[in-house]
Amino acid sequence: MMYLQWLVHGRPDAARPSKKAVDKAYSMTEKFKSNESTGWEEAVAHVSSLDDVFEDRIKKFAGNDWYRLRRTMEIAYTALDEDDPISIDSLFSGEREGGLESLDYDVRCFFLCPSDRMEHTSIIDERCEQMIIRGLLQETTELEISNDLPIMATKAIGYRQVLEYLKRENAKLKDEEAFEKFLNDFTTATRRYAKKQMAWFRKDRKFVFIPVTLGDKDRVDSAANKIQELCEISREEYEKSLLEEDAEGNIPESYKTRLANEQQGKKMKFYKFKRYKLEKDSEEFKSQLDSADECTEKIMALRQSKEDCVLSMKKQRLL
């Protein structure tokens, strides 16, 4: 989402952080994150204490956004560096530069918005199970063993939860509780990210919301046709579709869809998570647990191999 924002609106005005500030921010963030109960609140209090500018910025975060908090820390530590300070007043002007519109492109942005968030969330749960059944654990294991998994990928939803599960402390086979926790962590993280995406797009008034009825077999064609129509009309007419209300007092479809999406959020607290194929005690659950055990054994063997190698090197230094 950040890169999409850069593409449409341009680069942010924040100063480039120093290497020292980046390292300090990473260390502090990890320290706060280690405290699962009050870590986020303590981190927010710490950043807020650095200056009112950073306190105001952190209030705009959607949820516990550790990445944005760490980036704010990096800028704060850079600005407050005694050896090379930067004027705090000039840090966040809100101005951006280098976006497509500044290059005279006719930029038209669209967000395919599910008409029913409950149904959309249930689809997310089901697709998470499908990813596991289709080999997410095996793929991650092979990439980890071959050292072909980029560091950034290890932080992505899916890979991150798999690695946490495979590298868990005191791992044992046939551990249904650990496997269930992994399933819950994976689906929960995916649902939260979908929620965050919707909140992000709702805030960006440059995007036209295209309603998508998930149960409609023609939904792809319908959305594509709508987008084509909006791309073919004049810029003036397109701008009207971004309004909350036109000159005649009519509410455009995009704004209605945006509002409906936000209002449905209130009902999401009543969403009931369910399993589709990976129900406990089902044959599919047992099969996937066996596959997960095989992956766990491979990662445990890799870890042991690395530890043996380190021990061998230490012995050689002593000789």
Side-chain angles (χ1 to χ4, degrees), residues 134-153:
R134 292 175 182 175
L136 177 61
L137 280 91
Q138 292 86 343
E139 174 189 325
T140 308
T141 300
E142 294 307 317
L143 288 171
E144 179 71 7
I145 291 173
S146 61
N147 201 31
D148 288 330
L149 194 61
I151 293 177
M152 285 301 294

Side-chain angles (χ1 to χ4, degrees), residues 113-121 195 198 202 211-214 256-271:
C113 180
S115 57
D116 188 327
R117 287 181 61 174
M118 283 282 190
E119 185 180 1
H120 178 253
T121 304
K195 176 183 176 182
M198 291 179 189
R202 286 199 304 269
V212 177
T213 303
L214 299 173
K256 287 181 181 178
T257 305
R258 189 188 299 265
L259 282 179
N261 180 266
E262 182 175 10
Q263 290 168 356
Q264 287 179 26
K266 299 175 183 178
K267 298 180 180 179
M268 290 308 297
K269 61 183 178 181
F270 300 112
Y271 175 76

Side-chain angles (χ1 to χ4, degrees), residues 5 25 36 90 126 140 160 223 251-252 267 277 284:
Q5 191 172 46
E36 296 183 2
S90 66
E126 186 174 9
T140 308
R160 183 173 78 244
I251 300 177
K267 298 180 180 179
K277 291 188 176 181
E284 190 64 62

